[in-house]
Amino acid sequence: MTAPLRRRLPFGIRSTLPAALIALATALTAAPAHADPCVDIAKQLAGQIDGLKVNFSAANITYLTHPAAKELSLGCRGKDYSIELYAKTDRKMKPEFFNLVGSATALIFTVPKDDAVTGTSRCLKRMGILRGNTITMRYRRLNLECTRNRTDASITVRRGNNE
């Protein structure tokens, strides 16, 4: 006798296979588009820090505004870093600026707020006649770079790609 050329699937598999394929197709077509993680972090910051607003995003940088800072931005995925916070203010810094940068650093990099405020204020306060106008330091696995000129002072807080 000759064997059948086509094998029949059992009844249970025959009935569930099309349903599974349809469910898979609808799941793949109905998947929402993923937002930029920088924008998500910026929205979290705006929700948790008073006076902080999200302006716009361009080229992996999300620009923010706050009354205590002249410039404020959040950068994601550069060549040497995974995430970066940049803040700029007048040369004579106010306590509100220290609090803003410390709070934002704590929320972005998930470090305790006291440690973030200590590290950022230590970097900003080290600039002067004895140490110069550019300070680079490392604190709690964060790279801090503080610079100043005649009118402005700025801080860049970043965490490397390999950390």
Side-chain angles (χ1 to χ4, degrees):
M1 297 214 78
T2 61
L5 296 176
R6 187 170 177 198
R7 300 265 180 197
R8 303 277 300 171
L9 293 174
F11 180 72
I13 295 175
R14 274 190 292 169
S15 62
T16 57
L17 187 62
L21 289 175
I22 291 171
L24 180 66
T26 56
L28 291 177
T29 58
H34 294 286
D36 185 16
C38 252
V39 175
D40 292 339
I41 293 171
K43 287 179 182 177
Q44 287 178 354
L45 286 175
Q48 295 184 8
I49 298 176
D50 293 333
L52 187 71
K53 294 179 183 170
V54 179
N55 265 357
F56 61 93
S57 296
N60 289 339
I61 297 176
T62 302
Y63 295 94
L64 310 165
T65 57
H66 192 273
K70 281 185 175 180
E71 293 179 26
L72 192 62
S73 65
L74 181 66
C76 286
R77 296 286 171 204
K79 181 180 176 184
D80 299 327
Y81 61 88
S82 61
I83 193 162
E84 173 184 79
L85 173 70
Y86 174 78
K88 183 177 181 181
T89 188
D90 296 326
R91 185 174 171 130
K92 191 162 182 97
M93 294 165 269
K94 297 178 181 171
E96 294 86 21
F97 181 72
F98 291 121
N99 191 24
L100 168 68
V101 173
S103 298
T105 301
L107 291 171
I108 293 168
F109 298 105
T110 61
V111 295
K113 184 177 178 180
D114 295 337
D115 290 344
V117 171
T118 300
T120 55
S121 63
R122 186 179 292 175
C123 181
L124 288 166
K125 290 179 179 178
R126 282 188 181 178
M127 294 182 292
I129 296 172
L130 297 176
R131 292 192 174 117
N133 291 331
T134 302
I135 302 293
T136 303
M137 63 180 279
R138 189 153 165 82
Y139 186 80
R140 303 280 181 191
R141 292 180 35 215
L142 298 174
N143 300 321
L144 306 168
E145 182 180 340
C146 299
T147 58
R148 74 175 185 175
N149 56 26
R150 290 185 179 193
T151 58
D152 300 325
S154 65
I155 182 169
T156 305
V157 183
R158 59 175 67 114
R159 180 171 282 161
N161 274 336
N162 54 359
E163 297 178 39

